[in-house]
Amino acid sequence: MPPDDLIGRERDVADLRRIIAGTRMVTLVGTGGIGKTRLALDVADGSAASFADGARFVDLGQVFSPEQVASAAALATGVSERGHRSPEDAVAMALRSRSVLLVIDTCEHVAAAAAALCAHLIEHCPGVHILATSRQPLRVEREAVWRVPPLSVPPDPGGHRRSGAPPLTPERALASEAVRLFVSRALAARPGFELTPANTGAVAAVCRMLEGVPLAIELAAARIRVLSAQQVLARLDDRFRLLATDEPHVPARQRTMRAALEWSHGLLSPAEQLLLRRLAVFCTWSLDKAVHVCSFGDLDPGQARRAHTWLVDKSLVALDSVVGSERHYRLTDTVRAFAAAELAAAGEEQRVWRRMLATAAEWYEGLAERLSDRLPWEERLEHIRVLDHCLDNTLQMLERAVGACMVEEGLRICAALRSYWYVRDLHQPACRAIEHLLESGEGAAPLRARAAAVRAELMLGVHGPEPAETAAREALEAAEECGDGAAAGIARTTLAMTALRRGNAEEGLGHGREALRLAIASGERFTEICSLGALSQLARSRGDDDSSEVFLTRSIAIGQDIGDRWCVARCLNALGMLSTRRGDLDAAARQLHDALQVFVEMELVPDIARCTAGLGYLDLVRGDVSGARRQLSAGLRMSVASGRRLAVAHALEALGDLAVAEEQPERAASLAGSGALLRESLGVPAVHAEALLAEARSVLSDDAAEKAWHAWRGLPLEQVVENALYFPTPRKPLPSLLTRREKEISVLVSQGLSNRQIADRLTISQATAARHIANIFRKLLFTSRSQLAEWAREHRLDP
């Protein structure tokens, strides 16, 4: 049986699956090491198929303050916090229309904040069921508390003798869940181990002394590699007497857990003890990075590698996953907490954190340099995935940087990860980290200026144009004072974008041109691409599509030169929209599909939503109403899932454009009004929405247009989305939706000709005629030839 198999919880799992199906909130409660997380994961694995959107895991074990709870949930569920007053709102909006089981693990140290998040999601997300783990109930209304019991252990032999029960045999011992777990883990440690009449009593005694606590049993069983069951029992007994406490407020299982960990630690060699406690600074690690950080003093690199192998072998270090070409490892939460206490007691905590921050700053800066130069896409993508996997490490280091007196290293990390924050839409946590570091007042002036410029750039997507402009001007002043052209280029790019948002294209053009000059002079390729993107948007806002295309084409060339397909895809997406407006529909289709392929490969939901909306506009221009509906609906759904209000506003306005094309002015105005409300909440102008309202007023009376504009603004967002995704029958399909050939065929259908007769009349194949008629039906949303015939006669199409 594999070591990761859940043993002795079969009935618990079956019962919990039934309970979760009919209960919105279930909390698994029990002491540390009792197996809450493993039980929750097994229950979720079996229950995921019952939820349309499966199950998601939120680990609060790495959360250090109540304020980080909702942000951890946002990161775990792929929800962006950009543009929200609170991360709770972002998560709730993204999950509001989804059917999902949310597993929230290790809540006890942030119980109040976890309870508030759970209550918020239960109230606002009817399809969300929550399975939480904690050492105490969360006290959420209608919470079902499931106390996770210890595994069953063999009966005490003294009691058996008094009752006349038969002696404990291996077969009877295996009826105990704890013994089955011990034997399974002992087999993993020493193949060939078996329960015999000679060792059954010792194994049963170990399981009883560990009170059926799974983690303690696993740690004890791991020692079977070098000790007999009788030796394990003897050492365990000694350790428990030494470390036991009589304090009444400390639960017995906590005392047992502590004893098991202390005992396990005592069996390690000095090198293994050194490495274990130093590994406590990692959430996850590769062997090379761990050796580099942890090898100092009495632990050299060779010893560290050997000790790491033994810690894996002894089940204290677990394989986390394989990312790219590297294996990553982790400590369980309980072992990590124990190791962290040992690290603090040894007086090494600050030194190890400082080494980790210094190593990370050097590694991230080297990575940033490689990413700015020519690098094959697969290698670049692998680096991004490693950064994804180590994100908890990164955010934790940035939290620790000030306390470890390593502000400069923290700022270096933030600046080096500038493009990564963008790729993964991590504006919110990156902004918070940089703000905290800058508030310390430490760090060299050029580095502070660059970090401040990156923060201003990220703020535009989080806080809107006004705060971003203020921050960018401050960063620009700091950059100019210390002569840092690279930082000044970033700040100028942000000022160009804030001017664009404020409708001041001329001012933005000046900043954009200067940003481009500074980027070229400093060799900052990513800033060069960003400044060209800003110039492209500014040109488009002035109606200068030719210049916009030139800037985008230059950006694509740079992206291709350095091997960054994400930058290329972003530009192709914008170029596809431009080609659509120009009527170059074949080019638009190629550009948008090429961009979408990259976004899907990288699992970038906001970019996928934006590109899908572009394809919807393309279908709309082609006259493919059903295609436009499908694409724009998908774009709205993905925007809601991303939790980004501005993206939802864009998607609603895109559906408003579709409503205009379908001659549904009231619907267009309602969609526009809802989009404008979202923009107003973010302090962003609603230019597109107001243009849609003007379109509606050209058809409707002022009163009717105003009424439609406000019709959906008082509704909950989920109701607005539901309304937006319900498409009424168009009032009047327009002839302009059809090509010249399709109009010609429509006339022939109205004259009663069959497909064969139409093919003969137009000298085309019968299959071609059928394909044209199918396209006509799709564009006009017709289902019969009689509908088409009547429509062609009504519009008096020319024969």
Side-chain angles (χ1 to χ4, degrees):
M1 175 177 303
D4 284 337
D5 277 3
L6 189 68
I7 294 174
R9 301 293 192 196
E10 295 81 1
R11 183 172 179 177
D12 290 344
V13 170
D15 289 344
L16 281 166
R17 287 176 185 171
R18 285 194 294 271
I19 292 170
I20 285 169
T23 306
R24 297 287 307 284
M25 174 78 189
V26 178
T27 303
L28 305 185
V29 173
T31 188
I34 202 67
K36 301 183 294 296
T37 299
R38 187 172 293 182
L39 176 59
L41 290 172
D42 201 87
V43 171
D45 185 60
S47 302
S50 303
F51 295 84
D53 299 295
R56 296 289 183 272
F57 184 79
V58 181
D59 181 12
L60 300 185
Q62 310 306 325
V63 168
F64 293 94
S65 67
E67 293 78 17
Q68 295 175 316
V69 169
S71 295
L75 286 172
T77 53
V79 174
S80 170
E81 299 172 44
R82 291 175 58 189
H84 283 270
R85 292 174 183 169
S86 71
E88 289 90 344
D89 289 339
V91 177
M93 189 181 77
L95 300 182
R96 192 167 286 156
S97 60
R98 297 169 72 180
S99 169
V100 64
L101 175 61
L102 203 61
V103 180
I104 305 181
D105 187 53
T106 315
C107 299
E108 59 269 5
H109 61 304
V110 284
L117 175 65
C118 291
H120 190 69
L121 295 178
I122 292 295
E123 180 182 357
H124 296 287
C125 307
V128 170
H129 287 225
I130 295 174
L131 177 61
T133 74
S134 176
R135 295 188 185 185
Q136 63 193 53
L138 296 183
R139 312 297 181 193
V140 176
E141 187 177 357
R142 295 189 294 276
E143 173 191 27
V145 176
W146 179 282
R147 294 194 177 274
V148 181
L151 299 178
S152 63
V153 298
D156 181 77
H160 283 158
R161 282 194 293 271
R162 284 192 299 271
S163 64
L168 189 65
T169 64
E171 293 75 18
R172 288 193 177 96
L174 285 170
S176 154
E177 297 164 341
V179 170
R180 292 204 304 275
L181 178 62
F182 186 99
V183 171
S184 169
R185 300 315 188 242
L187 271 168
R190 193 176 80 201
F193 174 85
E194 61 179 310
L195 201 62
T196 68
N199 64 21
T200 294
V203 170
V206 168
C207 291
R208 281 195 300 272
M209 293 191 72
L210 295 178
E211 301 180 15
V213 177
L215 178 58
I217 291 169
E218 291 183 346
L219 291 170
R223 305 281 71 76
I224 291 295
R225 174 176 292 279
V226 293
L227 301 173
S228 68
Q230 291 82 353
Q231 288 173 314
V232 169
L233 176 61
R235 297 195 183 199
L236 187 61
D237 185 51
D238 290 340
R239 277 302 194 181
F240 274 3
R241 276 201 298 269
L242 178 65
L243 299 174
T245 176
D246 294 327
E247 293 181 16
H249 67 277
V250 179
R253 292 191 188 96
Q254 279 190 341
R255 296 198 299 269
T256 302
M257 195 68 217
R258 179 187 170 196
L261 286 169
E262 288 280 5
W263 162 78
S264 181
H265 181 259
L267 293 178
L268 300 178
S269 70
E272 291 163 1
Q273 291 180 348
L274 270 175
L275 181 62
L276 180 64
R277 70 180 183 236
R278 291 172 183 177
L279 289 173
V281 300
F282 291 95
C283 301
T284 182
W285 67 84
S286 67
L287 179 56
D288 286 344
K289 289 189 179 65
V291 168
H292 190 77
V293 170
C294 299
S295 299
F296 62 89
D298 294 333
L299 188 68
D300 64 40
Q303 290 174 311
R305 289 183 181 276
R306 289 190 294 274
H308 191 275
T309 299
W310 279 108
L311 289 175
V312 173
D313 201 43
K314 295 174 181 178
S315 302
L316 286 168
V317 167
L319 176 65
D320 189 6
S321 63
V322 178
V323 185
S325 58
E326 284 188 315
R327 288 172 175 257
H328 281 72
Y329 301 87
R330 62 179 176 83
L331 299 176
T332 64
D333 288 343
T334 306
V335 174
R336 188 176 182 222
F338 173 83
E342 289 293 307
L343 184 65
E348 291 187 328
E349 189 174 21
Q350 285 289 82
R351 185 173 182 185
V352 179
W353 276 111
R354 289 175 64 84
R355 285 181 63 87
M356 188 174 184
L357 277 155
T359 299
E362 182 180 343
W363 187 78
Y364 286 144
E365 285 181 331
L367 176 58
E369 188 174 339
R370 290 195 297 277
L371 293 177
S372 68
D373 204 352
R374 293 179 178 84
L375 196 67
W377 173 244
E378 287 306 319
E379 187 177 344
R380 184 181 293 270
L381 196 56
E382 181 176 325
H383 283 308
I384 291 172
R385 287 172 177 155
V386 170
L387 289 172
D388 291 342
H389 186 73
C390 297
L391 181 59
D392 285 341
N393 275 352
T394 304
L395 296 178
Q396 180 179 263
M397 282 189 290
L398 295 176
E399 285 281 335
R400 293 272 188 164
V402 174
C405 301
M406 299 289 280
V407 169
E408 184 145 337
E409 284 73 12
L411 292 172
R412 287 166 57 195
I413 291 170
C414 289
L417 291 178
R418 176 190 171 205
S419 63
Y420 175 71
W421 303 133
Y422 267 94
V423 169
R424 287 306 188 207
D425 200 25
L426 294 168
H427 297 64
Q428 192 92 344
C431 272
R432 282 198 297 265
I434 298 173
E435 286 166 7
H436 182 55
L437 291 164
L438 289 175
E439 284 169 0
S440 71
E442 299 176 18
L447 182 57
R448 289 180 60 82
R450 185 177 180 84
V454 172
R455 170 178 171 262
E457 190 176 39
L458 294 167
M459 284 178 67
L460 183 60
V462 178
H463 302 297
E466 290 186 11
E469 181 179 2
T470 300
R473 291 192 183 281
E474 291 173 356
L476 179 60
E477 182 179 352
E480 289 176 342
E481 282 181 3
C482 63
D484 191 321
I490 298 171
R492 289 279 189 183
T493 302
T494 303
L495 289 172
M497 290 303 298
T498 57
L500 174 66
R501 295 278 185 93
R502 289 188 289 99
N504 193 337
E506 287 305 314
E507 178 187 335
L509 186 62
H511 288 303
R513 287 172 175 163
E514 180 62 11
L516 180 59
R517 185 191 70 78
L518 290 166
I520 293 171
S522 60
E524 290 276 343
R525 309 306 296 277
F526 186 69
T527 304
E528 190 175 351
I529 291 172
C530 291
S531 61
L532 287 167
L535 288 168
S536 174
Q537 292 187 53
L538 287 161
R540 191 164 64 246
S541 73
R542 302 194 316 273
D544 185 358
D545 285 354
D546 290 341
S547 295
S548 181
E549 181 180 14
V550 169
F551 292 131
L552 288 172
T553 302
R554 285 179 61 183
S555 293
I556 289 172
I558 297 168
Q560 290 172 335
D561 183 50
I562 63 176
D564 192 335
R565 290 183 61 192
W566 177 74
C567 285
V568 171
R570 295 265 291 190
C571 296
L572 283 173
N573 190 23
L575 205 53
M577 295 292 291
L578 184 59
S579 297
T580 299
R581 285 194 299 275
R582 286 177 155 179
D584 191 353
L585 305 189
D586 289 341
R590 287 194 304 273
Q591 291 154 352
L592 291 170
H593 282 294
D594 286 350
L596 185 61
Q597 182 180 354
V598 176
F599 297 150
V600 169
E601 180 183 17
M602 299 182 71
E603 300 178 345
L604 300 172
V605 173
D607 286 328
I608 293 170
R610 193 162 31 244
C611 194
T612 300
L615 289 166
Y617 275 113
L618 176 60
D619 282 338
L620 185 58
V621 172
R622 283 173 164 168
D624 184 354
V625 174
S626 61
R629 285 182 172 185
R630 185 176 61 255
Q631 300 281 16
L632 295 177
S633 297
L636 175 59
R637 291 189 184 96
M638 284 186 282
S639 296
V640 171
S642 75
R644 299 175 61 203
R645 288 180 176 266
L646 189 57
V648 175
H650 278 302
L652 292 172
E653 291 159 358
L655 286 166
D657 288 325
L658 175 60
V660 169
E662 294 186 291
E663 293 191 341
Q664 294 170 346
E666 294 97 336
R667 175 176 166 83
S670 296
L671 287 160
S674 300
L677 184 63
L678 288 172
R679 290 180 179 275
E680 290 163 14
S681 71
L682 300 173
V684 177
V687 178
H688 191 172
E690 289 166 0
L692 286 169
L693 177 61
E695 289 267 8
R697 281 179 171 153
S698 68
V699 179
L700 305 172
S701 67
D702 285 346
D703 286 346
E706 198 67 22
K707 183 178 178 181
W709 172 268
H710 289 283
W712 297 0
R713 287 167 68 96
L715 299 177
L717 184 59
E718 60 267 25
Q719 184 62 55
V720 171
V721 172
E722 184 178 334
N723 290 350
L725 295 175
Y726 170 74
F727 293 97
T729 303
R731 280 206 182 96
K732 186 172 60 176
L734 302 178
S736 60
L737 296 175
L738 303 184
T739 65
R740 184 187 61 79
R741 175 65 86 181
E742 288 167 347
K743 291 177 185 177
E744 190 175 12
I745 290 175
S746 297
V747 170
L748 297 178
V749 169
S750 72
Q751 293 172 354
L753 273 65
S754 66
N755 285 3
R756 179 182 295 278
Q757 291 169 325
I758 292 172
D760 292 342
R761 178 77 64 87
L762 300 178
T763 319
I764 58 177
S765 71
Q766 190 172 339
T768 301
R771 187 166 60 252
H772 279 304
I773 292 173
N775 286 337
I776 294 167
F777 280 9
R778 187 179 71 253
K779 289 182 178 182
L780 302 182
L781 304 180
F782 289 159
T783 58
S784 69
R785 296 173 80 92
S786 60
Q787 280 181 298
L788 177 57
E790 183 180 348
W791 177 84
R793 287 191 292 269
E794 178 187 348
H795 286 85
R796 300 179 181 178
L797 297 185
D798 294 332

